[in-house]
Amino acid sequence: MNLNLFDAEETHSWREELCPDAVVLRGFALAGEVDILSALEQVFSVAPLRHLVTPGGFRMSVAMSNCGTYGWVSDRTGYRYDTVDPDSGKPWPSMPALFSTLAADAATQAGFSDFKPDACLINRYAAGTRLSLHQDKDEQDFSQPIVSVSLGVPAIFLFGGTQRTDKTMRVKLTHGDVVVWGGAARLRYHGILPVKTDSHPLTGEYRINLTLRKAI
Ligand code: SIN
Ligand code: FE2
């Protein structure tokens, strides 16, 4: 692993390269923590967190919502991006400017300029909740990176290769960490190990993750 320190605006962040085109920006979202969480409360008041059903008929243990033009949804018919929240029939709440700016800045730090996310998936993990190994491949343009913001209770992020059976790295992600992967790393498998019981002053017993994508 390659470590070096840089100045991100007024914050000091550690940058950890996971592999070519994938980096953890430690603490990158810390300066915005309060504003991000209050923007999330607004989103949840319009598009409440819910447990989606997989195409195979299983209820996902992670609670999800979205903001932005497109929201990621799953149901018995498959996975897709949709402009409408299936629970309300209304468009997803718009993406707070803070989220798009943070994501674009993080992407730039990671070497991906001009990132303009149009989708933000919000995942909430309670103790014991996991996200199994998967690729993010429902987006149209794989030249655009994924920006993932971790808040609240820590978790172990699994970061593998482009084959499901490839060896995975275990990366502990804590409050304020931002992971960016794109380019040669864009289709790497990743997931979250079961989250341990813990609490965080700003999120209580939960871990919250935002993944910002250019979906369409
Ligand atoms: C995801 O892969 O959609 C989320 C990853 C995470 O929660 O860190
Ligand atoms: Fe993912």
Side-chain angles (χ1 to χ4, degrees), residues 81 134-140 142 186-187 189:
Y81 281 101
H134 66 277
Q135 292 170 296
D136 286 5
K137 57 176 185 188
D138 298 322
E139 301 72 33
Q140 285 183 3
F142 295 148
R186 177 61 178 74
L187 290 174
Y189 277 85

Side-chain angles (χ1 to χ4, degrees), residues 121 123 125 131 134 136 148 150 157 173 181 190-192 207 209 211 213:
L121 170 67
N123 291 321
Y125 301 76
L131 189 66
H134 66 277
D136 286 5
S148 157
S150 292
F157 180 62
L173 297 179
W181 64 97
H190 57 280
I192 292 287
R207 170 176 189 261
N209 175 264
T211 31
R213 296 103 179 247

Side-chain angles (χ1 to χ4, degrees), residues 52-60 74-79:
L52 298 173
V53 173
T54 65
F58 297 101
R59 176 183 182 270
M60 295 182 73
S74 172
D75 61 21
R76 291 304 300 245
T77 66
Y79 306 126

Side-chain angles (χ1 to χ4, degrees), residues 81-198:
Y81 281 101
D82 203 319
T83 55
V84 167
D85 176 351
D87 279 11
S88 67
K90 293 190 294 196
W92 295 104
S94 57
M95 188 172 324
L98 172 62
F99 292 12
S100 30
T101 304
L102 178 75
D105 289 350
T108 299
Q109 288 291 345
F112 303 100
S113 53
D114 297 319
F115 179 52
K116 293 189 178 65
D118 57 13
C120 176
L121 170 67
I122 303 151
N123 291 321
R124 189 189 67 181
Y125 301 76
T129 304
R130 64 194 285 265
L131 189 66
S132 53
L133 217 53
H134 66 277
Q135 292 170 296
D136 286 5
K137 57 176 185 188
D138 298 322
E139 301 72 33
Q140 285 183 3
D141 181 0
F142 295 148
S143 76
Q144 297 300 307
I146 302 288
V147 175
S148 157
V149 179
S150 292
L151 297 166
V153 164
I156 305 292
F157 180 62
L158 295 176
F159 196 63
T162 54
Q163 305 296 315
R164 184 180 290 279
T165 51
D166 288 346
K167 189 172 176 300
T168 56
M169 275 178 255
R170 292 177 174 218
V171 184
K172 185 171 182 178
L173 297 179
T174 62
H175 180 77
D177 290 346
V178 176
V179 188
V180 182
W181 64 97
R186 177 61 178 74
L187 290 174
R188 284 186 178 248
Y189 277 85
H190 57 280
I192 292 287
L193 287 182
V195 171
K196 294 214 170 95
T197 302
D198 202 343

